[in-house]
Amino acid sequence: MFFTYLRRELRRRRKAALVISMGLALGIGLVLTVTSVSAGMKNAQSTVLHSLYGLGTDITVTKSAAAGAGGGAQKFGIQQSGSGSKSSSADRLSVNQGTATMASSTVTQVASQSNVEAAVGSLLLNDFKFDGSFKLKSGTSSTSTGTGQGGGQQGGEGGGQGGTPPSGAANFSLNTLTIMGTDTSNITVGPLSSLKITSGVNFTSAQSNSLVAVVDSSYATQKKLKVGSTVTISGKAFKVIGIATASSGTSAANVYIPLTQAQTLADMKNKVTTVYVKASSSQQISAVKTAITKNVSGTTVTTASDLASTVSGSLSTAANLVTSMGKWLSLAVLAAAFLISSLLTSSAVNRRVREFGTLKALGWRSKRVIGQVMGEALVNGLIGGVLGIALGLAGAAAITAFSPTLSASTASSTASQGGPGGGGGPGQAASAAAKAIEVHLTAPVTLSAIAVAVALAVAGGLVAGGFGGWRASRLRPADALRRVE
């Protein structure tokens, strides 16, 4: 009887039912669209952080140098005598200015903290390579001095100052590249975790002190390197065993070599610049940060969530707009949809006063009348939910298809301290931060968002049916029969 009466009433009042359903559909569709855009914003911000800092690491630990210490200008003094053409080259390896090294024992200290699953160290170096050629006359000498500072992400040529006596000539170049000394015992955490080997192989734990290198694909293209080529650093020839590409964005360094070799070349035995930390679970990241800050003094501890607040650009503006205005707008529209549905259901009850009065006179109790009204409203809500999900999916698809490309970068002041993941090196992070990352906004619709839409549809139906049923329950048969519909 209940379903027969329900079907008959919905068919008889299908226009009113459609209006009520559409009101709920608009509210639910907007909520689903805003939720999807919000999820897309979070994914885009994650992409930016991945591009700049990589994945595979929850926390990084770095140490800032005292004012005026670390890095600085690199000076070369080259002198040749005799006659004919002479060539000279020299390397200077150093950490970035403003960055201090830490003892390797810091890695062990960090790894011993509660809820730390793994911790590895790395040493990020800038290699300033001087190459010069001299043409001298017999009995003369030539001296050239060069000064360079800073390290570039992709490597490049920098100038210096050259001086020659009238009887000679000198030409030279100053090339820079970034070198990452990597702990090969665990490449799933740290700078190599965000790299994909596109040619060759990655390091193995047995290569902790081998003359092997993994080269960034962009740098390899620039220098025409391939698997089997050699890269010379401070007079040592490293064999290229792999070409790697960052999952997105810019790689952390041009060349990756075993940590022990990097420490030896830079005369920084048992020193690291960054400790990469992986927590036992995502829920423990905050607790691990607190423990490291408390127990490892003098260090700067950074998490991915800390870096998220530094993202700026059009992506940040859009994300703030969705957060501040989109959610409030969707809530306002949803509240209005619930209110309109309740009023329309109540209005429909008022127009059925005589009908309900007759049913009560025939023996229907108030609970049955309320149940009938709520059943009709619930069906209207479910219909509205289906239509709302369809509208939400259409809106999300339109945003994904036609949304503009957004740009983002991170503040260099934060980046200079290093960040979680592959590009967490202090100076390298600053270099990456100076380059805007472009991402395409998508609006993914998740099952949880659809579940929320269904819940809202049911809630809308119950709210409207509850209000309408309450109005119907207050009717007295005698009063209802005296009224004309």
Side-chain angles (χ1 to χ4, degrees):
M1 180 65 180
F2 172 81
F3 292 103
T4 301
Y5 193 79
L6 176 65
R7 184 175 62 255
R8 184 181 66 82
E9 287 300 317
L10 289 175
R11 291 182 59 184
R12 188 164 66 93
R13 305 179 187 278
R14 55 180 175 272
K15 290 184 179 179
L18 182 60
V19 172
I20 294 173
S21 299
M22 284 303 300
L24 287 172
L26 290 175
I28 293 170
L30 182 58
V31 170
L32 186 58
T33 301
V34 171
T35 302
S36 301
V37 173
S38 179
M41 290 295 178
K42 291 180 180 179
N43 291 342
Q45 288 182 325
S46 297
T47 299
V48 171
L49 294 178
H50 184 185
S51 301
L52 297 176
Y53 302 100
L55 294 177
T57 302
D58 299 318
I59 299 170
T60 56
V61 181
T62 57
K63 186 177 182 180
S64 298
Q74 303 300 320
K75 297 182 179 180
F76 300 86
I78 307 296
Q79 184 172 355
Q80 295 285 355
S81 61
S83 61
S85 179
K86 304 285 184 178
S87 61
S88 296
S89 64
D91 287 79
R92 295 290 186 271
L93 294 172
S94 67
V95 298
N96 282 293
Q97 188 173 13
T99 300
T101 58
M102 300 174 287
S104 296
S105 58
T106 305
V107 180
T108 304
Q109 187 179 3
V110 170
S112 66
Q113 303 300 311
S114 299
N115 300 309
V116 172
E117 180 178 324
V120 298
S122 71
L123 181 63
L124 181 64
L125 300 170
N126 291 320
D127 181 14
F128 302 89
K129 186 176 181 61
F130 173 91
D131 287 296
S133 62
F134 303 84
K135 293 182 180 180
L136 305 175
K137 294 181 179 179
S138 179
T140 64
S141 63
S142 178
T143 302
S144 177
T145 61
T147 302
Q149 182 176 3
Q153 169 69 23
Q154 298 301 331
E157 295 188 356
Q161 295 179 351
T164 61
S167 57
N171 296 307
F172 67 90
S173 63
L174 182 63
N175 297 315
T176 64
L177 72 151
T178 52
I179 300 169
M180 181 73 79
T182 305
D183 187 345
T184 61
S185 64
N186 188 352
I187 61 176
T188 62
V189 180
L192 289 174
S193 62
S194 63
L195 300 180
K196 179 181 180 181
I197 301 297
T198 54
S199 179
V201 296
N202 210 332
F203 295 118
T204 65
S205 57
Q207 296 172 321
S208 60
N209 196 26
S210 301
L211 295 176
V212 292
V214 172
V215 180
D216 171 57
S217 58
S218 298
Y219 185 75
T221 301
Q222 178 187 354
K223 298 298 182 181
K224 298 180 180 180
L225 300 173
K226 59 183 180 180
V227 174
S229 301
T230 58
V231 177
T232 303
I233 305 172
S234 289
K236 285 190 175 183
F238 288 80
K239 181 181 179 181
V240 177
I241 62 171
I243 306 296
T245 303
S247 300
S248 59
T250 309
S251 180
N254 304 133
V255 180
Y256 299 84
I257 62 177
L259 177 59
T260 303
Q261 284 292 335
Q263 292 169 335
T264 302
L265 292 176
D267 195 20
M268 297 180 183
K269 185 178 180 180
N270 297 324
K271 297 292 183 181
V272 296
T273 53
T274 308
V275 179
Y276 298 87
V277 185
K278 184 176 182 180
S280 58
S281 68
S282 59
Q283 290 77 20
Q284 300 298 331
I285 293 177
S286 179
V288 171
K289 176 183 177 180
T290 302
I292 296 174
T293 303
K294 178 181 178 181
N295 300 324
V296 186
S297 60
T299 58
T300 300
V301 184
T302 309
T303 67
S305 60
D306 296 331
L307 298 172
S309 61
T310 70
V311 176
S312 59
S314 59
L315 171 60
S316 177
T317 302
N320 291 335
L321 181 63
V322 170
T323 301
S324 61
M325 192 176 82
K327 290 184 178 180
W328 286 110
L329 177 61
S330 61
L331 289 174
V333 172
L334 187 63
F338 279 18
L339 179 60
I340 292 173
S341 298
S342 299
L343 293 177
L344 289 175
T345 302
S346 178
S347 176
V349 170
N350 287 336
R351 289 194 298 270
R352 298 166 66 186
V353 170
R354 187 175 181 182
E355 174 187 340
F356 289 134
T358 303
L359 292 174
K360 279 193 169 187
L362 294 175
W364 279 39
R365 295 185 177 183
S366 295
K367 290 183 179 180
R368 188 173 180 182
V369 174
I370 294 174
Q372 193 68 47
V373 174
M374 291 191 69
E376 296 174 11
L378 185 60
V379 172
N380 289 335
L382 293 175
I383 295 173
V386 173
L387 295 175
I389 291 174
L391 290 175
L393 291 174
I399 291 172
T400 300
F402 302 107
S403 64
T405 299
L406 303 177
S407 63
S409 62
T410 60
S412 58
S413 59
T414 300
S416 65
Q417 299 174 359
Q428 187 53 45
S431 174
K435 179 182 178 181
I437 304 298
E438 293 188 347
V439 292
H440 180 72
L441 177 63
T442 60
V445 180
T446 62
L447 291 177
S448 59
I450 294 177
V452 170
V454 173
L456 290 175
V458 173
L462 292 177
V463 169
F467 186 69
W470 173 75
R471 293 292 303 273
S473 67
R474 299 182 62 190
L475 296 174
R476 291 188 302 172
D479 294 337
L481 292 174
R482 287 198 295 267
R483 298 180 58 177
V484 178
E485 186 177 9

